[in-house]
Amino acid sequence: MVAFGKKLKERQLQEWEGYYIDYKLMKKKVKQYAQHIKNGTLDKRQVLKDFSRMLDIQIEKIVLFLLEQQGLLAGRLAKLGEQHNSPDQQSDIATICQLREAYREVGLDLLKLLYFVEINAIGLRKILKKFDKRFGYSFTDYYVKTRANHPYSQLQQVFKHVGIGAVVGAITRNLGDLQERQGSYASIYDQPAFPLQDPVIDSIKSAVDRLGYSTNFLHFMAQHALIMQEEILPSPVEEQIDDKRYNYMSLILNLANTFLYMINTYIIVPTADDYSMSLGAAATVCGIVIGAMAIAQVFSSVYFSAWSNRSYFRPLVFSSIVLFVGNVMYAMAYDFNSIWILLIGRIFCGLGSARAVNRRYISDCVPLKIRMQASAGFVSASALGMACGPALAGLLQTNFKLFNWTFNQDTLPGWIMAVAWLLYLVWLWIAFKEPAHEDDHVEQQSTTETKQSDVMERGVKQPLLLTSEQNGGNSEEKVQLLIYFMLKYAMEILLSESSVVTTYYFSWSTSSVSIFLACLGLTVLPVNIIVGSYISNMFQERQILLASEIMVCIGIVLSFNLIIPYTVPQYVCSGLIMFVSAEVLEGVNLSLLSRVMSSRLSRGTYNGGLLSTEAGTLARVVADGTITLIGLLGQSTLLNLTLLPSLFICIGCIVATCYTYNSLY
């Protein structure tokens, strides 16, 4: 907090010094409240009332000054508009140049006002979170609900920057009108495909982007990636550094790596049991075959995250080579008749998991103004890869030999992915541009400053609902990680044993299993659209979290084979309920986790993205190991016995959520 207060002071304009939030005073007050409560001179109700009044006064001071400055800017724009529309001066080149410069000056002053709004918004969030942490009370939620939804809300002015959009539009339109476009007088509204190229407008748009991203859905999707957003206000120089490090094709290559890796993970699921049996192993050994990749990923995530501190290109090259070798070994195991070569091939595939690099590139190299879109792209690429993997496996129904190597439904996934990674390696070598890395001193200084900032929520609708570190944030962080472990465990049980279960109960073919798994994967994006755009606006995140956990539990219960004969509708419906509920749960869980997770995990090797990857990967390892171990008892008991741990963990998560929720309120 000391670093933030110092940064806040440095970024303030001297002429507006008296109108910023008095962060130092409020931090001092929080300490005094704690002392008074300890001494018994004040009770909690008096503290809440006094602190609320102080916040109201601070916000009113900010808002009145904001409105005053907006009025001054509007007045200047009105005078410039009169000159601009004067018939005597429309063809005067000198006057047009003067008007352009005058509009740019207004734009620069607007930019100062945007920075003023942003730094005050960050200060308010910080002091609210500090209050919640100190007193173990969810004051933030109370304050936002009672103030932001009131018809005379002043919070709306600060956090939705009401009225600023009109000023931005006026400057943009008039500068566009004054810009020479080959003699054309078409306005920006007539040609939206040709954006106005002006440094002032670009800076304003960048500042507006930081105040609020375009849609709730985009924000909701991006949080699936757990790529943390920094809260310290960047300077224009820092933004220029980000732009220099960013390369569009390099970002596409990172997303392509994510897409191919997810295909590689799930393309073997429909045929893993058949492949295991063809090599003389039991069908349930498919759990180890599928899970071998996850076991290796537990270790690869760490060294790839550390490697990405120095380079992005070399880890991606290494990843592609290792995945190529692993898939070739996976395919060749059939002709060598060796289950060990099969397992080693899958381990190699896990050792090539570069998802930590993909996350780090987005977090470190993508400019802030498009980082949310890039994060959402990361999630979308993962979802599409998950759906395409089983679908592609269903198309590989053939059997022939070439140069004494067998190509059938078991080996073709390995051959296909080996070729895909080889082509990707060539594309990577040609098109990837290694971003410039900062020297150790700058990097260390940047890391030190970053550690002082917490994760912020960038949504437009709920800008203050940041309950990080409430009531001992570490406990809530542990609960969210437990929930993430549970949902990944339940999903892995459903997906990995689907081929064995459906073959045993329904005699499904590989194509049928592939279609079922592909349909499950295709629900990811539509579900997130519904939750991110609609449900998240109607209910609180913790309400959605608890409801989703209950639905996952219901899906697990319905999946058991108990008294009545097991049918396809029961399996499909229960699986769909479990999978879709887990997807909703994952989105909300990561949204909350990104806010309760410690700020020290925003960057560096052991960052929040790595932690979530390790938790999810560990869940998959345990789930796949459970399938193989219980499979030793026979396929008839596999379904029920693998669902029991899922049920117990899910019930435990529901209890932990209710306990944490009650302690917060």
Side-chain angles (χ1 to χ4, degrees):
M1 290 297 179
V2 175
F4 173 76
K6 184 178 180 181
K7 191 106 172 180
L8 184 70
K9 191 71 175 177
E10 290 174 353
R11 295 296 172 89
Q12 292 181 2
L13 297 173
Q14 292 297 323
E15 62 268 29
W16 293 352
E17 186 176 1
Y19 301 101
Y20 288 92
I21 179 176
D22 197 336
Y23 184 80
K24 184 177 180 181
L25 172 65
M26 299 186 77
K27 192 171 76 167
K28 183 179 178 181
K29 270 290 187 181
V30 171
K31 292 181 179 179
Q32 290 176 354
Y33 290 146
Q35 190 63 39
H36 284 308
I37 290 178
K38 185 178 179 180
N39 297 335
T41 55
L42 284 177
D43 61 23
K44 230 172 188 180
R45 179 172 294 183
Q46 290 174 303
V47 168
L48 293 175
K49 184 177 180 180
D50 191 59
F51 190 66
S52 297
R53 183 175 178 275
M54 182 183 297
L55 275 177
D56 291 340
I57 294 172
Q58 291 288 322
I59 292 172
E60 185 174 272
K61 175 183 69 174
I62 296 167
V63 168
L64 292 178
F65 179 75
L66 176 62
L67 293 174
E68 179 186 353
Q69 293 300 311
Q70 287 179 8
L72 293 175
L73 292 176
R76 289 167 63 185
L77 287 172
K79 291 180 180 179
L80 290 174
E82 293 176 1
Q83 298 178 39
H84 184 188
N85 298 322
S86 175
D88 299 332
Q89 298 181 355
Q90 285 189 353
S91 59
D92 188 346
I93 300 299
T95 302
I96 290 176
C97 292
Q98 290 176 1
L99 282 172
R100 282 165 126 188
E101 290 305 314
Y103 276 115
R104 288 192 179 109
E105 287 180 8
V106 176
L108 290 173
D109 287 340
L110 174 62
L111 192 58
K112 293 178 183 178
L113 193 60
L114 287 169
Y115 276 111
F116 171 83
V117 175
E118 183 171 6
I119 203 166
N120 279 293
I122 293 173
L124 284 170
R125 291 185 178 111
K126 285 281 188 179
I127 200 64
L128 282 167
K129 288 191 290 183
K130 188 173 184 65
F131 186 91
D132 286 345
K133 180 182 178 181
R134 178 61 67 95
F135 298 105
Y137 183 78
S138 185
F139 175 75
T140 300
D141 283 354
Y142 157 76
Y143 191 81
V144 171
K145 288 175 186 175
T146 55
R147 267 66 173 177
N149 297 324
H150 195 276
Y152 304 130
S153 171
Q154 292 178 326
L155 276 179
Q156 300 284 356
Q157 294 283 344
V158 178
F159 290 98
K160 293 191 178 181
H161 38 95
V162 178
I164 289 180
V167 181
V168 175
I171 296 172
T172 305
R173 188 193 69 78
N174 283 285
L175 277 176
D177 193 35
L178 292 168
Q179 187 181 50
E180 293 182 7
R181 296 190 179 185
Q182 298 179 349
S184 171
Y185 288 95
S187 73
I188 59 172
Y189 305 112
D190 298 320
Q191 298 185 14
F194 298 97
L196 174 61
Q197 301 296 324
D198 192 286
V200 173
I201 298 302
D202 291 340
S203 297
I204 291 173
K205 288 180 179 178
S206 178
V208 171
D209 285 339
R210 287 197 304 270
L211 280 174
Y213 286 92
S214 55
T215 63
N216 280 346
F217 168 60
L218 189 64
H219 176 248
F220 183 81
M221 285 290 292
Q223 286 180 321
H224 278 58
L226 206 64
I227 296 170
M228 299 194 175
Q229 310 294 327
E230 296 177 35
E231 189 163 290
I232 292 297
L233 185 64
S235 67
V237 175
E238 290 167 343
E239 290 179 348
Q240 291 175 7
I241 292 174
D242 280 343
D243 289 338
K244 289 179 180 178
R245 299 187 73 198
Y246 169 66
N247 178 266
Y248 176 74
M249 186 53 67
S250 299
L251 174 61
I252 295 299
L253 282 162
N254 268 277
L255 297 180
N257 183 281
T258 298
F259 175 70
L260 287 176
Y261 186 79
M262 293 303 291
I263 291 179
N264 211 148
T265 301
Y266 290 100
I267 193 173
I268 72 156
V269 173
T271 58
D273 58 334
D274 287 336
Y275 204 168
S276 300
M277 292 175 65
S278 68
L279 298 180
T284 52
V285 174
C286 69
I288 290 294
V289 174
I290 297 171
M293 195 169 178
I295 292 172
Q297 190 180 344
V298 172
F299 304 99
S300 66
S301 296
V302 177
Y303 66 71
F304 270 114
S305 182
W307 199 351
S308 62
N309 288 329
R310 296 298 176 187
S311 174
Y312 300 96
F313 175 69
R314 288 191 292 273
L316 290 176
V317 169
F318 177 78
S319 166
S320 304
I321 294 173
V322 172
L323 280 158
F324 170 77
V325 173
N327 281 289
V328 169
M329 293 181 69
Y330 181 86
M332 293 171 61
Y334 187 91
D335 290 295
F336 281 105
N337 194 31
S338 172
I339 189 70
W340 291 109
I341 294 179
L342 182 75
L343 291 173
I344 293 172
R346 286 293 286 179
I347 289 174
F348 264 73
C349 289
L351 292 174
S353 171
R355 287 173 67 81
V357 181
N358 306 144
R359 279 191 172 101
R360 283 292 299 276
Y361 184 85
I362 295 174
S363 177
D364 296 350
C365 302
V366 175
L368 185 64
K369 58 188 175 185
I370 61 169
R371 193 174 299 165
M372 193 66 74
Q373 292 91 325
S375 302
F378 175 87
V379 177
S380 300
S382 299
L384 291 174
M386 181 181 177
C388 289
L392 185 59
L395 300 176
L396 304 178
Q397 304 300 304
T398 186
N399 193 346
F400 64 93
K401 276 185 172 288
L402 184 65
F403 303 113
N404 293 325
W405 296 109
T406 303
F407 294 84
N408 57 23
Q409 66 173 9
D410 296 331
T411 63
L412 274 172
W415 293 119
I416 291 292
M417 292 312 303
V419 173
W421 285 112
L422 186 61
L423 295 175
Y424 175 80
L425 180 60
V426 175
W427 182 23
L428 180 73
W429 197 274
I430 295 172
F432 190 87
K433 182 179 178 182
E434 180 75 85
H437 284 265
E438 302 171 354
D439 57 54
D440 293 340
H441 174 72
V442 175
E443 183 177 352
Q444 183 178 2
Q445 182 180 3
S446 175
T447 304
T448 302
E449 291 179 353
T450 302
K451 286 182 179 179
Q452 305 301 324
S453 67
D454 297 320
V455 182
M456 71 180 289
E457 183 180 22
R458 297 282 188 176
V460 176
K461 297 292 184 182
Q462 294 174 311
L464 263 178
L465 296 181
L466 303 182
T467 53
S468 173
E469 302 177 319
Q470 292 175 357
N471 197 20
N474 288 334
S475 62
E476 191 174 3
E477 179 182 325
K478 292 175 183 177
V479 171
Q480 298 303 329
L481 285 172
L482 175 63
I483 293 171
Y484 190 67
F485 178 91
M486 179 273 291
L487 68 92
K488 285 297 182 183
Y489 181 91
M491 290 172 68
E492 189 70 10
I493 289 290
L494 172 65
L495 299 175
S496 294
E497 71 178 14
S498 59
S499 182
V500 178
V501 170
T502 54
T503 300
Y504 179 80
Y505 287 102
F506 317 125
S507 300
W508 276 11
S509 64
T510 299
S511 298
S512 300
V513 178
S514 301
I515 292 172
F516 171 68
L517 295 178
C519 290
L520 287 181
L522 289 173
T523 62
V524 173
L525 291 179
V527 166
N528 283 309
I529 290 174
I530 294 172
V531 176
S533 299
Y534 302 103
I535 296 180
S536 61
N537 293 330
M538 299 167 61
F539 303 97
Q540 293 182 22
E541 285 184 324
R542 287 186 176 83
Q543 293 175 328
I544 303 174
L545 185 83
L546 183 59
S548 301
E549 289 179 86
I550 294 172
M551 290 304 298
V552 170
C553 189
I554 291 173
I556 293 172
V557 171
L558 293 177
S559 298
F560 279 91
N561 177 25
L562 298 174
I563 302 173
I564 60 175
Y566 208 53
T567 62
V568 172
Q570 180 185 352
Y571 177 78
V572 172
C573 291
S574 61
L576 190 63
I577 292 172
M578 188 193 310
F579 188 84
V580 170
S581 301
E583 276 300 321
V584 175
L585 180 60
E586 181 176 4
V588 180
N589 170 253
L590 290 181
S591 175
L592 288 168
L593 184 59
S594 67
R595 300 203 298 273
V596 302
M597 189 170 283
S598 173
S599 59
R600 68 181 183 275
L601 297 174
S602 61
R603 280 183 184 268
T605 301
Y606 299 99
N607 53 71
L610 174 64
L611 184 60
S612 67
T613 299
E614 292 291 272
T617 303
L618 183 62
R620 291 173 53 207
V621 170
V622 175
D624 291 324
T626 302
I627 293 172
T628 299
L629 290 175
I630 293 178
L632 297 175
L633 302 176
Q635 295 186 29
S636 60
T637 60
L638 179 67
L639 179 66
N640 287 344
L641 292 183
T642 52
L643 288 173
L644 277 176
S646 301
L647 181 62
F648 291 145
I649 298 173
C650 187
I651 293 174
C653 287
I654 293 173
V655 173
T657 301
C658 292
Y659 176 79
T660 306
Y661 187 85
N662 289 333
S663 66
L664 290 176
Y665 292 91

